[in-house]
Amino acid sequence: MSIVSIEPATAERWQDLENLFGPTGAYGHCWCTFFRRRAKDHTASTTCDRSMRGVDNKAELRRVTLEGRVPGLLAYDEGGPCGWVSVAPREDYVRLSRSRSLRPADPDEPGVWSLVCFWLPPRRRRRGVGSRLLDGAIEYARAEGARVLEAYPVDTAGGRAPSAEVYTGTVEMFRRAGFGLAQHHTSERTVARLNLKEG
């Protein structure tokens, strides 16, 4: 099946996002809120009460959409939603500003958006859906007025790695999309950046 469209995850599309993530949410109850919340506020999948795993995270993501914000984009094929990318203004991801390994060199730099997560059902992986989502994220951020799109990919040295380890995307994926790659100013992490505006 081929991608039919890539759409903003608005409140009206919440059911599609919920169906895509499934009953436990993406990546072990995360519901793609890891970067949106401070460490002490994030409901980790290691919580003792299994019945509460991810409940607060799901509610947080739902709240974002109900406030009229768009936490990311959904890819659709003929069968419905088939992929997700979390992309938004960098300030929406509060954990980035507190991270030792990803803290921005200039937190007040205007117009920077961040791409922090991809999620695809297992049957859709390694079929180019992630690259299509990246293209959609670039187009969406540009259309929304972003000056720069920033991401934090993992270097797999051209090999494969478990999906849970490369949820931020791979270095090669961003290189192919035209991003510049540099080492983070205080850590060994790679930061990918793409200028979205001329001049």
Side-chain angles (χ1 to χ4, degrees), residues 38-107:
R38 298 174 302 172
K40 68 179 184 178
D41 297 329
H42 193 265
T43 308
S45 60
T46 55
T47 184
C48 294
D49 184 355
R50 291 178 179 269
S51 67
M52 291 301 292
R53 285 185 180 181
V55 171
D56 288 344
N57 298 334
K58 180 178 180 180
E60 173 67 12
L61 189 62
R62 176 63 169 149
R63 183 183 65 78
V64 169
T65 66
L66 290 173
E67 289 177 352
R69 293 185 287 151
V70 174
L73 306 175
L74 288 163
Y76 291 82
D77 62 18
E78 295 88 342
C82 64
W84 159 262
V85 60
S86 183
V87 59
R90 187 169 65 186
E91 58 265 25
D92 284 9
Y93 301 110
V94 297
R95 193 174 292 221
L96 289 176
S97 65
R98 298 167 178 265
S99 169
R100 291 181 181 178
S101 61
L102 293 175
R103 182 183 302 120
D106 180 2

Side-chain angles (χ1 to χ4, degrees), residues 90-155:
R90 187 169 65 186
E91 58 265 25
D92 284 9
Y93 301 110
V94 297
R95 193 174 292 221
L96 289 176
S97 65
R98 298 167 178 265
S99 169
R100 291 181 181 178
S101 61
L102 293 175
R103 182 183 302 120
D106 180 2
D108 298 320
E109 182 184 8
V112 180
W113 279 44
S114 290
L115 186 160
V116 299
C117 183
F118 293 91
W119 192 82
L120 306 171
R123 66 186 179 85
R124 297 299 311 207
R125 295 171 188 167
R126 297 188 176 93
R127 297 188 181 189
V129 178
S131 294
R132 288 289 309 278
L133 279 164
L134 177 54
D135 291 343
I138 293 168
E139 293 174 15
Y140 180 73
R142 181 181 284 123
E144 291 295 309
R147 187 181 60 81
V148 173
L149 181 58
E150 187 174 271
Y152 319 98
V154 174
D155 191 354

Side-chain angles (χ1 to χ4, degrees), residues 5-23:
S5 66
I6 295 176
E7 306 291 344
T10 59
E12 294 74 22
R13 294 191 179 95
W14 172 255
Q15 192 64 58
D16 290 342
L17 179 55
E18 191 175 32
N19 290 343
L20 177 68
F21 281 3

Side-chain angles (χ1 to χ4, degrees), residues 34 44 54 72 81 84 95 104 113 140 160 183-184 186 188:
F34 180 81
W84 159 262
R95 193 174 292 221
W113 279 44
Y140 180 73
R160 291 185 174 181
Q183 184 174 320
H184 187 268
T186 63
E188 296 182 359

